[in-house]
Amino acid sequence: MRVDASRFISSGLIEAYVSGLATSNEVQELERGMTQYPEVAAAVNDCQLDMEQYVTLQSKTPPADLKHRIFHIIVNEEAARESGTLTTETDTEEFPETKVYVSSSWRWIAAAAILLLLGSLLLNYVFFGQINDYKGRYEALLSTQNTLASESNLYKTRVEQMEHSMDLVKDPSMKTVKMPGTKPFPSALATVYWNQQSKEVFVMVNNLPEPAADKQYQLWAIVDGKPVDMGVFEMGDHHELLQKMRSIDNAEMFAITLEKKGGSAVPTLDQMYVAGKAS
Amino acid sequence: MESAFTYTESELVQGLKAKDQKVFGYLYDRYSPALYGVALKVLNDESNANDVLQEVFLKIWRNIDRYDESKGRLFTWMLNITRNSAIDTLRSKAHKMDQKIQDIGDDVHLYTGNLTVHPSVDHLGLSKVLEKLTKEQRIIIDLAYYKGCTQEEISKVLEIPLGTVKTRMRNAIIQLRNLLKLV
């Protein structure tokens, strides 16, 4: 198959022509191709036959009286034609053929103007398509860029938080208090980091179940056998990092209980998840 | 007026050019359902479709001398007259372009429901074809063929880039043709 003919066949022009989508320029281009290459004409004809099959599948019988109405009109017309009374009703609306003569110089100018206009329209069309294409690609890149930037910010924050936690843990005065799970919650585990110099206390959740929406975990220090409130903490995204709690000078034990949101004044002992000795 | 025998296409054309009413009757019986189907799909209204079909057959009868056999088959010529008349009527009913787009939009929503295939025509296997086309493939073919939409209008209605309308159409028609082989 010749290169030009196969270009027509793979361009989508035939499908556009058969479906009625082709612009008048495209119609002219394809019709030239059909007279030039028999294989293009055959491809158009095959596609048209299939489209006509699709159309025929959607057939519906018109109302019965319509045929009589049409025949009534044409029979009357024929009778009038034979008796010569028909005012030659040549129907030209479908195929207007008007001839206007103008001087040849104006014809050249008009032809040139039309060519320029067509050229400009074609360029408009081409550039408009390109601009739309670039706009789409630009927007896609922009949204990818935004996604990457926000992801990168997220990672940056996480790294900073982790570095901060590492710095705290690296401090030689930091004491680690491991709090294993109590009997009812054997798999629970949390750790208290207690700076012996600054007396600051941090908690790290190793394994605690996600609390219900109206509940929060609360850290307690046991001082002289009595519980001291060290504050509540959130799970959320932070559960892998150290969270700062209240500072305390002395404590024999630390424990975590599950309390109502905001914390309680005294611990709910049957909801004690973890506990560990400080010394 | 049912015809007991068939005509070849060139016999049909000769008969019509000779103003043979029997041939015209045969033509009507043979092709009016297909042409009526087109008018109905374009207009979505039986009374308007009746008017268009009457206009179409009068045009065929009066203008058969303008049909040029070397330029295509008779059915193609009649289909084009029907599509053009129906789409002209559609446009004169919907004066503004906005209105037209609106109508198309409404039609698009029709496609989201069940396929509206008339049970009496379904023995031809239409629903088999339609259900295997994607919604977008059905809509793009119908917007161009039955509603006379331009590439720009289709790009707007389907919210796809102008540059891809022809490619989508090509894929839709290729899929349609593959399915038609199975009917």
Side-chain angles (χ1 to χ4, degrees):
Chain A
M1 187 176 294
R2 278 163 287 188
V3 175
D4 278 354
S6 68
R7 185 183 63 80
F8 272 111
I9 288 163
S10 61
S11 67
L13 202 54
I14 292 175
E15 288 81 4
Y17 176 78
V18 167
S19 63
L21 189 69
T23 63
S24 54
N25 279 341
E26 290 169 337
V27 169
Q28 282 177 14
E29 188 190 342
L30 186 65
E31 283 175 348
R32 271 199 305 276
M34 286 161 72
T35 46
Q36 209 173 343
Y37 308 109
E39 56 265 59
V40 174
V44 171
N45 191 50
D46 284 352
C47 190
Q48 210 156 39
L49 277 171
D50 285 347
M51 190 70 200
E52 286 167 11
Q53 188 193 345
Y54 173 63
V55 169
T56 308
L57 283 178
Q58 322 202 34
S59 294
K60 190 161 190 270
T61 310
D65 62 322
L66 197 60
K67 185 177 179 182
H68 300 294
R69 255 159 57 196
I70 295 169
F71 265 85
H72 184 71
I73 295 172
I74 69 161
V75 167
N76 279 347
E77 263 181 33
E78 289 310 298
R81 192 195 303 281
E82 274 162 27
S83 66
T85 52
L86 185 74
T87 50
T88 41
E89 194 187 316
T90 41
D91 181 320
T92 51
E93 50 175 324
E94 183 81 355
F95 314 91
E97 290 171 40
T98 45
K99 287 180 182 168
V100 180
Y101 294 97
V102 285
S103 76
S104 64
S105 59
W106 278 110
R107 260 194 258 174
W108 282 113
I109 291 168
I114 288 166
L115 271 180
L116 282 172
L117 179 66
L118 286 178
S120 145
L121 285 176
L122 181 68
L123 285 178
N124 276 345
Y125 175 78
V126 168
F127 287 134
F128 182 68
Q130 283 180 350
I131 285 172
N132 266 350
D133 187 31
Y134 286 132
K135 205 174 136 202
R137 289 199 226 171
Y138 168 74
E139 277 163 4
L141 279 176
L142 200 64
S143 92
T144 314
Q145 150 81 19
N146 281 339
T147 317
L148 286 177
S150 61
E151 273 178 13
S152 138
N153 269 338
L154 185 72
Y155 290 129
K156 199 175 146 200
T157 316
R158 279 200 197 158
V159 167
E160 279 169 3
Q161 284 173 329
M162 284 184 185
E163 274 176 351
H164 182 61
S165 303
M166 288 297 287
D167 286 344
L168 291 172
V169 172
K170 277 193 294 189
D171 190 324
S173 356
M174 189 61 89
K175 179 174 181 166
T176 310
V177 182
K178 195 176 153 200
M179 297 184 290
T182 55
K183 265 196 193 128
F185 309 103
S187 65
L189 181 65
T191 313
V192 160
Y193 289 91
W194 186 15
N195 191 308
Q196 296 299 294
Q197 263 188 332
S198 66
K199 304 299 179 190
E200 285 171 308
V201 173
F202 302 86
V203 68
M204 183 173 81
V205 175
N206 302 85
N207 181 35
L208 281 178
E210 196 66 37
D214 58 340
K215 301 272 185 168
Q216 252 181 331
Y217 287 111
Q218 188 168 4
L219 180 70
W220 305 89
I222 314 296
V223 184
D224 299 329
K226 284 179 187 154
V228 176
D229 173 23
M230 297 291 286
V232 293
F233 58 91
E234 286 292 334
M235 299 278 282
D237 281 343
H238 307 287
H239 66 280
E240 281 177 284
L241 295 169
L242 296 184
Q243 295 188 61
K244 193 168 180 344
M245 308 304 289
R246 288 186 194 132
S247 302
I248 195 155
D249 293 338
N250 297 299
E252 294 135 30
M253 280 186 77
F254 288 100
I256 293 173
T257 58
L258 186 62
E259 303 292 339
K260 64 179 191 291
K261 200 148 193 150
S264 308
V266 282
T268 314
L269 291 175
D270 63 347
Q271 288 297 309
M272 185 186 288
Y273 276 69
V274 294
K277 280 184 181 162
S279 47
Chain B
M1 224 182 273
E2 291 292 325
S3 313
F5 56 97
T6 59
Y7 294 90
T8 65
E9 183 154 320
S10 67
E11 283 168 348
L12 264 180
V13 175
Q14 278 172 13
L16 290 173
K17 288 189 174 173
K19 300 286 177 197
D20 183 334
Q21 291 181 13
K22 212 175 88 188
V23 170
F24 188 63
Y26 170 84
L27 186 86
Y28 184 91
D29 293 339
R30 172 88 177 72
Y31 293 111
S32 65
L35 302 184
Y36 188 59
V38 171
L40 263 184
K41 279 278 285 184
V42 173
L43 292 161
N44 254 333
D45 177 284
E46 291 199 358
S47 147
N48 285 330
N50 290 348
D51 292 347
V52 164
L53 192 68
Q54 173 174 328
E55 185 191 326
V56 164
F57 273 95
L58 291 177
K59 275 180 184 165
I60 294 169
W61 176 252
R62 289 168 185 162
N63 299 320
I64 187 66
D65 287 334
R66 289 175 185 155
Y67 165 65
D68 180 352
E69 282 176 275
S70 70
K71 285 193 177 157
R73 280 167 290 112
L74 180 66
F75 184 49
T76 312
W77 184 70
M78 296 194 300
L79 270 181
N80 283 339
I81 294 179
T82 310
R83 272 182 69 221
N84 292 340
S85 302
I87 291 171
D88 281 351
T89 305
L90 182 72
R91 289 197 173 148
S92 68
K93 303 264 177 231
H95 301 285
K96 288 181 216 146
M97 189 59 85
D98 287 351
Q99 183 61 44
K100 189 179 154 207
I101 296 289
Q102 182 62 48
D103 287 353
I104 293 160
D106 290 347
D107 279 357
V108 171
H109 295 303
L110 286 180
Y111 288 91
T112 58
N114 293 324
L115 301 178
T116 49
V117 175
H118 200 275
S120 72
V121 296
D122 197 40
H123 64 278
L124 297 164
L126 177 61
S127 62
K128 243 187 262 168
V129 173
L130 289 185
E131 75 196 9
K132 286 194 180 119
L133 286 173
T134 67
K135 198 175 97 192
E136 194 198 75
Q137 286 170 336
R138 261 184 286 139
I139 293 174
I140 199 168
I141 293 172
D142 288 0
L143 284 181
Y145 191 84
Y146 289 113
K147 302 294 172 180
C149 280
T150 62
Q151 300 180 20
E152 286 80 1
E153 286 164 348
I154 287 177
S155 145
K156 199 170 156 189
V157 173
L158 294 184
E159 294 174 333
I160 56 178
L162 183 64
T164 66
V165 173
K166 266 202 290 179
T167 319
R168 303 274 184 108
M169 178 61 87
R170 177 161 196 254
N171 294 337
I173 299 233
I174 287 171
Q175 172 73 357
L176 174 67
R177 297 182 69 187
N178 287 334
L179 294 172
L180 286 171
K181 283 183 196 136
L182 307 175
V183 173

